Amino acid sequence: MDYNFREIEQKWQTYWAENHTYQAKEDPSRPKFYVLDMFPYPSGAGLHVGHPLGYIASDIYSRYKRLKGFNVLHPMGYDSFGLPAEQYAIQTGQHPEVTTNQNIARYRQQLDRIGFSYDWNREVRTCDPGYYKWTQWAFIKMFESYYDTAKAKACPVADLVAAFEANGTEGITAACEQTLNFTAEQWKAYSEQEKSKILMNYRIAYQGETSVNWCPKLGTVLANDEVKDGLSVRGGYPVEQKKMTQWQLRVSAYAERLLTGLDTVDWTDSLKEMQRNWIGRSYGTEVNFKCVNGDFEKDVTIFTTRVDTIFGVTFMVLAPESDLVAELTSPEQKAEVEEYLAYVKKKTERERIAETKTVTGVFSGSYGINPLTGEKVPVWISEYVLAGYGTGAIMAVPAHDSRDYAFAKKFNLPIIPIIEGCDVSEQSFDAKEGKMCNSGFLNGMEVKEAIEAAKDYAEANGLGRRKTNYRLRDAIFSRQRYWGEPFPIYYKDGIPTPLPMEALPLTLPEISEFKPTETGEPPLARAKDWTYNGYPLETSTMPGFAGSSAYYLRYMDPHNDSALVDKDVDGYWKNVDLYIGGTEHATGHLIYSRFWNKFLYDLGYVCEEEPFQKLINQGMIQGRSNFVYRIVGTNKFVSCGLKDQYETQEIHVDINIVRNDRLDTEAFKAWRPEFNNAEFVLENGEYICGWAVEKMSKSMFNVVNPDVICDTYGADTLRLYEMFLGPIEQSKPWDTKGIDGVNRFLKKLWRLFYDRENYLVTDEKATPEELKTLHKLIGKEQADIEAFSYNTTISAFMIAVNELTELKCSKKEILEPVVVLLSPFAPHVAEELWHVLGNETSVTDAKFPEYVEAYTVENSCTYAVSFNGKTRFTVDLSKSMGKDEVEAHVRGMEQTAKYVDGKTIVKVIVVPGKIVNIVVK
RNA sequence: GCCCGAGUGGUGAAAUGGUAGACACGAAGGACUCAAAAUCCUUUGCCCCUUAAAGGCGUGCCGGUUCGAGUCCGGCCUCGGGCACCA
């Protein structure tokens, strides 16, 4: 009987579905384990072999944990709101919901073929109203909360209002855009509109004017992580800066907690580092400089991390967008400044990035007074200072900052070195070491002490205060699109007001067309009667990350209509134990999710502060493209090895008609009409194609559909092969070279059960040698799976099966545990063989075999031989020499190769204080 | 520019500081077969050598620590990833 994967895989997939084998239920008697994949956006192109890489890895771990007795939650769903479906809708008029559902159906089909142990009862879709009800709910909660910096948590806005009514802004410790000051009386006197505006300054979900990434081609605003090099990530269209009123989330309030929380999770250092850089904490000082413009005086606060260099300040710089610019521009400079502002404004983000080397700026006409020296320095305006960071104004120390240096050189401003012995004639000296000079009371100090001394001095003399700044900005939360969650907000006399809970979900209205209106309003403005109780509803929708920020919570309790997740259920599943996904979400989804979770934690809706305990980043699977070489001007194709003898043109060829870089020439002729009379110059009778590693994409004909692999080799082979390819964190090109190896392994295993026509398994007792093979495998699998080293586990399987084949071992005592061990990797064949061995229930319910170390080390003994006072030797006597012989070698300090019994070569390695290995070759 | 990570056969890759190249692919030779597929066996880092034995060289480069370094330390080179006027 042969290994018939088609029949087996079909049979057990049906069995698992019919028996709800993978359904998870809360069960306090068992320890829980939550394994999560980053859910996919169901694109029209379907899955390629890169997608399942992480899913297979997490599935193996889920199945392993189940065998280990854990109650495993392993769900899957779809991140189904998004731009591509909407772009497609604009082009074709097809409703995004229709295409999204089609794509989901296709994804599901493809996923099902691979044999994942998902609990599909818990599937979520972000575009499902039953799901986005809770996205809208969370938004309202954020709208109704502010961040109290003293308590370091989110609190109800109602408390803030009560405090305003009692004492005005006095004693308020709330994260905000601008520090406001008013009394209780003033507060009570404000109109409703004014109050609403003031509260927006504090709410965690708030409306405010910001400079946003506007993509005219897409007609929407994009988040910073949706823009790369001034182009939109989706589509690659130009992006420009535009001031707009937008909904935003006060993520910045959580900067410190997002940073410290990283210490409590088990993520890779590189990923933590990326998040740390993105959050960008820096400890510095705010210093007030009095600035004078004729008779006008103004205190300007600057932020610096190097107050110690304050004696080297030779000018100040304001960001062009800063409000101070207008106040500090002198009448003489007005024309020049306005010209400069106009120039800055018309530059796109792209151009700014491209021209970061060119130095531009203009003198404002004002002067600032150095609070330490009393010296007057000119105030300049330049785009190299950003309005959004610090205070939008800096003190410039050209001797010790490369950007200030470049500016000073360009505009001929003085450069005063303040660190002994540094040379600033060619470039600035940015290092944080050396002795201070030209710096008054700081002279002679090391830079590190000087920084602290200067901070102390500034604080003691009321010139400034220590300040921690973060690079992390608030998240812009509005999108001028159709295919997203509607905001649960209506405008009552212009005041943004949340819908009551009973009105949720606020579902997307039907509209005639999906593009923005002629007047530039978002598509929802086309909806008929888009109102609530006669008041207009918000017309923008939420961004992609809204729905993906709390989906892991919804999986715990996906059908609950009265809460995002029931408290007890959340208390059982807690947080995600293992999360697998790509690094591309490092500064997007993984920041937003952590923020969202912390917010819900503050309000007491979830019990864990960090959502993802352990996180593994699977590498990307790149495409491996194949080429043929056409001799220029002919329809003749030359094999790769001979191409240098001709003038050739490289052409991408569909990898589906290439095997192991050998072209199927007949299929090639049939591939495209222009090739049907193609001729070939072969080497050794074959046409060898060239290859290159590129992105997996349709246009390069290098997309590999997992279905094709399932058809030719089966899902189990696909699963094994993807894991065998190398460590999962590593990016690597897809290459089917080698897939035969894992397929052969499965066939070999099969032949331990069946030869051509007979069932071979017996109930005979296993020999010590057979037990050794088994327990080596158990030990290896246990250690390797915990370390996510799946490729070496599979190697161990191959070794074990080779050994058992050699031993002609078809004993149930050995094969049954082997099948259990294999089930996480190749569940279909394992399930089949498990039943073949006479088991009634699913292999999923089996127990992970117990590892007995004695079987693997029974023939070794440990010597305690002293050498230099302390030396220990572990000697494996299983195959080689006796005790006396070993001791003789040890005493003689033998270190080279030796014959022992005329056949075996033994090498003795003597290690003082360590171990001796006797190695048999 | 700054911050991470990685460099090992023809290929994918293994190696708690202790036999470098496990395992697999590919390749070469052989067995079975009328033949093919499938399967099995042998060889396979490089150099010297007719072969074998024996030897020499080998983990990007240069040094160091160590009885012993692919692994640890210092300095370079190359590649990949992230951030980028963040004061």
Side-chain angles (χ1 to χ4, degrees):
Chain A
M1 232 178 95
D2 284 339
Y3 166 49
N4 185 341
F5 61 82
R6 260 174 264 265
E7 199 178 288
I8 292 170
E9 289 177 0
Q10 195 62 121
K11 174 171 156 195
W12 296 110
Q13 281 169 10
T14 311
Y15 173 93
W16 294 329
E18 282 173 355
N19 290 277
H20 308 287
T21 307
Y22 303 114
Q23 203 162 314
K25 290 200 179 76
E26 291 73 48
D27 176 2
S29 71
R30 284 194 297 157
K32 67 95 190 188
F33 203 90
Y34 188 174
V35 181
L36 183 65
D37 290 304
M38 287 184 187
F39 64 169
Y41 174 79
S43 84
L47 287 178
H48 64 64
V49 288
H51 295 107
L53 185 78
Y55 303 160
I56 295 169
S58 66
D59 195 60
I60 290 170
Y61 204 79
S62 302
R63 289 172 178 272
Y64 166 76
K65 277 287 175 186
R66 222 174 289 238
L67 295 176
K68 281 284 195 182
F70 287 86
N71 188 19
V72 174
L73 175 58
H74 187 40
M76 186 43 114
Y78 305 96
D79 185 13
S80 53
F81 272 135
L83 277 178
E86 181 162 346
Q87 287 296 96
Y88 189 74
I90 291 171
Q91 286 158 20
T92 63
Q94 178 93 271
H95 196 288
E97 191 177 353
V98 175
T99 46
T100 300
N101 285 339
Q102 282 167 0
N103 293 346
I104 287 177
R106 168 109 193 273
Y107 265 59
R108 177 64 191 275
Q109 243 173 17
Q110 288 185 295
L111 288 170
D112 279 348
R113 289 204 65 182
I114 304 172
F116 292 119
S117 61
Y118 294 127
D119 177 357
W120 285 107
N121 278 328
R122 293 173 182 262
E123 178 193 309
V124 300
R125 299 178 185 194
T126 55
C127 67
D128 174 4
Y131 178 89
Y132 68 68
K133 173 178 175 179
W134 300 103
T135 311
Q136 293 173 334
W137 167 83
F139 176 81
I140 293 174
K141 291 292 167 196
M142 289 182 195
F143 180 83
E144 290 172 342
S145 302
Y146 77 99
Y147 192 83
D148 191 308
T149 53
K151 293 179 187 154
K153 64 180 282 202
C155 297
V157 166
D159 293 0
L160 194 64
V161 172
F164 287 160
E165 278 169 4
N167 302 308
T169 50
E170 186 155 351
I172 294 295
T173 50
C176 58
E177 289 301 286
Q178 289 171 294
T179 313
L180 302 177
N181 282 302
F182 50 80
T183 62
E185 285 63 42
Q186 284 172 309
W187 169 257
K188 286 175 199 157
Y190 287 136
S191 69
E192 287 305 308
Q193 277 82 356
E194 282 167 325
K195 282 180 181 172
S196 164
K197 241 197 170 132
I198 287 168
L199 289 174
M200 283 297 182
N201 190 41
Y202 301 98
R203 294 182 193 277
I204 287 179
Y206 66 98
Q207 224 172 10
E209 184 169 85
T210 44
S211 184
V212 297
N213 303 306
W214 174 256
C215 181
K217 187 87 192 185
L218 293 171
T220 192
V221 157
L222 298 169
N224 280 336
D225 59 279
E226 291 169 320
V227 181
K228 203 176 155 64
D229 301 329
L231 300 173
S232 65
V233 171
R234 287 248 159 98
Y237 304 114
V239 173
E240 56 192 48
Q241 296 304 110
K242 190 175 173 184
K243 281 218 166 178
M244 284 179 85
T245 297
Q246 298 283 311
W247 286 101
Q248 295 171 62
L249 301 184
R250 206 174 298 283
V251 180
S252 60
Y254 281 82
E256 186 62 28
R257 282 168 65 191
L258 288 169
L259 207 52
T260 53
L262 288 174
D263 298 334
T264 69
V265 293
D266 184 11
W267 296 11
T268 60
D269 289 338
S270 71
L271 196 78
K272 286 187 187 182
E273 206 49 38
M274 265 192 240
Q275 289 215 341
R276 288 196 188 105
N277 290 341
W278 190 258
I279 296 165
R281 178 173 65 191
S282 57
Y283 296 116
T285 317
E286 281 185 351
V287 186
N288 299 326
F289 278 66
K290 183 161 287 172
C291 291
V292 288
N293 173 17
D295 292 336
F296 178 76
E297 273 190 19
K298 169 100 186 170
D299 262 348
V300 171
T301 305
I302 59 93
F303 175 76
T304 177
T305 53
R306 294 290 302 276
V307 237
D308 58 304
T309 60
I310 197 163
F311 289 90
V313 172
T314 56
F315 57 103
M316 291 172 69
V317 188
L318 306 175
E321 299 84 0
S322 171
D323 296 338
L324 297 163
V325 168
E327 291 179 293
L328 293 176
T329 299
S330 69
E332 304 80 60
Q333 290 298 109
K334 196 164 183 195
E336 224 178 302
V337 168
E338 273 171 6
E339 195 185 324
Y340 182 67
L341 295 184
Y343 155 79
V344 169
K345 204 167 183 179
K346 76 166 200 281
K347 264 197 180 180
T348 66
E349 179 80 346
R350 188 112 206 262
E351 287 164 338
R352 278 184 81 151
I353 289 163
E355 296 166 17
T356 109
K357 290 272 156 8
T358 50
V359 179
T360 65
V362 65
F363 177 48
S364 71
S366 297
Y367 290 88
I369 296 162
N370 187 326
L372 264 83
T373 62
E375 226 170 302
K376 256 176 114 178
V377 293
V379 176
W380 285 70
I381 297 158
S382 171
E383 58 180 335
Y384 86 88
V385 173
L386 305 173
Y389 184 76
T391 59
I394 63 155
M395 65 179 211
V397 186
H400 303 288
D401 181 286
S402 53
R403 298 154 301 183
D404 297 346
Y405 186 88
F407 195 82
K409 279 279 171 186
K410 165 109 183 194
F411 294 105
N412 274 321
L413 295 158
I415 298 168
I416 307 173
I418 50 155
I419 290 173
E420 272 179 27
C422 66
D423 174 18
V424 294
S425 58
E426 290 300 323
Q427 56 176 20
S428 62
F429 181 79
D430 294 11
K432 281 192 187 174
E433 51 194 41
K435 268 200 168 52
M436 308 295 296
C437 63
N438 301 332
S439 293
F441 70 96
L442 297 171
N443 280 341
M445 287 187 196
E446 281 295 320
V447 169
K448 283 208 175 96
E449 340 166 34
I451 293 176
E452 288 313 308
K455 282 181 180 175
D456 289 343
Y457 182 91
E459 285 192 325
N461 294 280
L463 307 173
R465 63 220 76 85
R466 276 168 220 260
K467 168 90 197 219
T468 305
N469 259 333
Y470 301 90
R471 215 178 63 104
L472 183 72
R473 315 270 182 90
D474 287 347
I476 295 166
F477 204 60
S478 302
R479 298 288 182 274
Q480 289 63 42
R481 307 295 296 191
Y482 174 74
W483 193 229
E485 300 86 349
F487 280 89
I489 292 285
Y490 64 98
Y491 291 88
K492 190 177 178 182
D493 307 324
I495 298 171
T497 311
L499 292 175
M501 199 52 206
E502 335 53 277
L504 299 189
L506 173 65
T507 52
L508 272 172
E510 288 303 321
I511 56 174
S512 50
E513 264 195 288
F514 300 101
K515 50 184 191 210
T517 64
E518 282 65 33
T519 54
E521 280 187 275
L524 286 189
R526 293 176 183 275
K528 261 193 223 136
D529 200 26
W530 187 234
T531 56
Y532 175 75
N533 282 353
Y535 298 111
L537 283 158
E538 168 69 54
T539 51
S540 48
T541 54
M542 298 187 196
F545 68 83
S548 60
S549 287
Y551 75 111
Y552 55 91
L553 292 169
R554 191 62 182 163
Y555 280 137
M556 295 177 186
D557 201 3
H559 309 297
N560 192 335
D561 197 41
S562 57
L564 168 65
V565 50
D566 177 83
K567 254 198 138 118
D568 290 339
V569 173
D570 176 68
Y572 179 70
W573 295 114
K574 294 192 164 69
N575 60 359
V576 175
D577 294 282
L578 175 66
Y579 195 22
I580 297 190
T583 3
E584 66 270 24
H585 299 107
T587 53
H589 163 63
L590 287 172
I591 291 264
Y592 299 129
S593 260
R594 292 181 61 222
F595 153 77
W596 202 285
N597 190 79
K598 280 174 194 294
F599 170 76
L600 293 176
Y601 173 82
D602 286 352
L603 267 57
Y605 292 111
V606 301
C607 64
E608 288 286 339
E609 184 161 358
E610 284 292 337
F612 313 120
Q613 201 51 48
K614 183 174 176 70
L615 187 135
I616 299 240
N617 290 118
Q618 95 271 20
M620 280 221 297
I621 297 259
Q622 295 139 307
R624 189 177 185 282
S625 314
N626 275 115
F627 302 103
V628 291
Y629 303 90
R630 180 163 63 193
I631 299 170
V632 173
T634 69
N635 208 8
K636 205 168 190 179
F637 295 83
V638 57
S639 186
C640 183
L642 307 170
K643 70 173 195 295
D644 294 341
Q645 299 166 20
Y646 305 85
E647 195 191 336
T648 59
Q649 181 190 6
E650 192 177 71
I651 300 172
H652 273 98
V653 61
D654 188 344
I655 54 158
N656 291 305
I657 57 172
V658 178
R659 232 191 120 170
N660 288 342
D661 290 340
R662 272 113 183 114
L663 181 70
D664 180 338
T665 50
E666 288 310 308
F668 180 74
K669 287 182 184 174
W671 182 40
R672 302 206 142 177
E674 68 260 39
F675 298 144
N676 65 17
N677 57 351
E679 293 174 74
F680 303 94
V681 181
L682 306 176
E683 45 184 321
N684 304 324
E686 287 176 318
Y687 190 97
I688 313 288
C689 297
W691 60 274
V693 173
E694 295 173 306
K695 206 182 140 193
M696 203 172 267
S697 105
K698 269 185 182 169
S699 62
M700 299 179 183
F701 303 108
N702 62 2
V703 175
V704 183
N705 184 335
D707 294 349
V708 174
I709 308 291
C710 288
D711 285 338
T712 45
Y713 294 98
D716 286 335
T717 298
L718 172 71
R719 292 170 60 109
L720 281 168
Y721 186 58
E722 291 221 5
M723 294 300 105
F724 188 64
L725 224 43
I728 52 170
E729 310 86 351
Q730 214 161 87
S731 286
K732 56 227 151 195
W734 175 260
D735 185 355
T736 37
K737 213 158 88 180
I739 195 164
D740 291 314
V742 287
N743 191 241
R744 247 169 244 166
F745 153 72
L746 288 178
K747 289 188 202 160
K748 249 177 169 172
L749 173 81
W750 187 263
R751 282 199 300 273
L752 291 171
F753 288 76
Y754 292 103
D755 64 11
R756 201 145 285 180
E757 53 277 324
N758 302 308
Y759 178 60
L760 303 173
V761 182
T762 68
D763 286 329
E764 270 175 79
K765 217 162 158 34
T767 65
E769 216 169 357
E770 290 163 349
L771 285 167
K772 186 174 175 179
T773 294
L774 171 65
H775 286 272
K776 258 187 348 201
L777 178 62
I778 300 173
K780 183 83 179 150
E781 173 158 338
Q782 200 158 270
D784 282 359
I785 290 192
E786 296 289 355
F788 300 95
S789 177
Y790 296 142
N791 55 334
T792 54
T793 317
I794 295 167
S795 291
F797 265 108
M798 291 176 174
I799 294 168
V801 166
N802 283 344
E803 282 175 8
L804 294 176
T805 305
E806 189 124 327
L807 294 167
K808 295 197 166 54
C809 171
S810 290
K811 295 168 182 168
K812 191 175 172 186
E813 186 184 347
I814 300 294
L815 293 182
E816 196 165 85
V818 168
V819 164
V820 176
L821 291 173
L822 184 70
S823 67
F825 294 89
H828 308 88
V829 68
E831 189 79 89
E832 171 73 14
L833 294 173
W834 178 250
H835 283 80
V836 157
L837 289 169
N839 294 289
E840 300 288 330
T841 54
S842 168
V843 69
T844 313
D845 300 325
K847 289 273 154 287
F848 193 83
E850 194 138 336
Y851 172 56
V852 182
E853 202 180 0
Y855 286 121
T856 59
V857 295
E858 61 182 342
N859 291 327
S860 48
C861 66
T862 306
Y863 281 83
V865 181
S866 75
F867 178 76
N868 286 353
K870 42 174 180 179
T871 301
R872 272 175 51 225
F873 305 97
T874 306
V875 181
D876 184 352
L877 295 178
S878 56
K879 285 184 193 159
S880 60
M881 39 188 179
K883 186 176 175 231
D884 296 343
E885 252 172 310
V886 171
E887 283 183 349
H889 276 86
V890 168
R891 265 196 295 275
M893 290 291 289
E894 190 59 74
Q895 290 195 47
T896 51
K898 275 275 171 196
Y899 285 104
V900 172
D901 56 10
K903 284 184 213 132
T904 324
I905 300 167
V906 175
K907 194 168 182 184
V908 183
I909 303 150
V910 181
V911 185
K914 283 259 173 119
I915 286 170
V916 164
N917 288 343
I918 306 287
V919 184
V920 183
K921 255 191 172 166

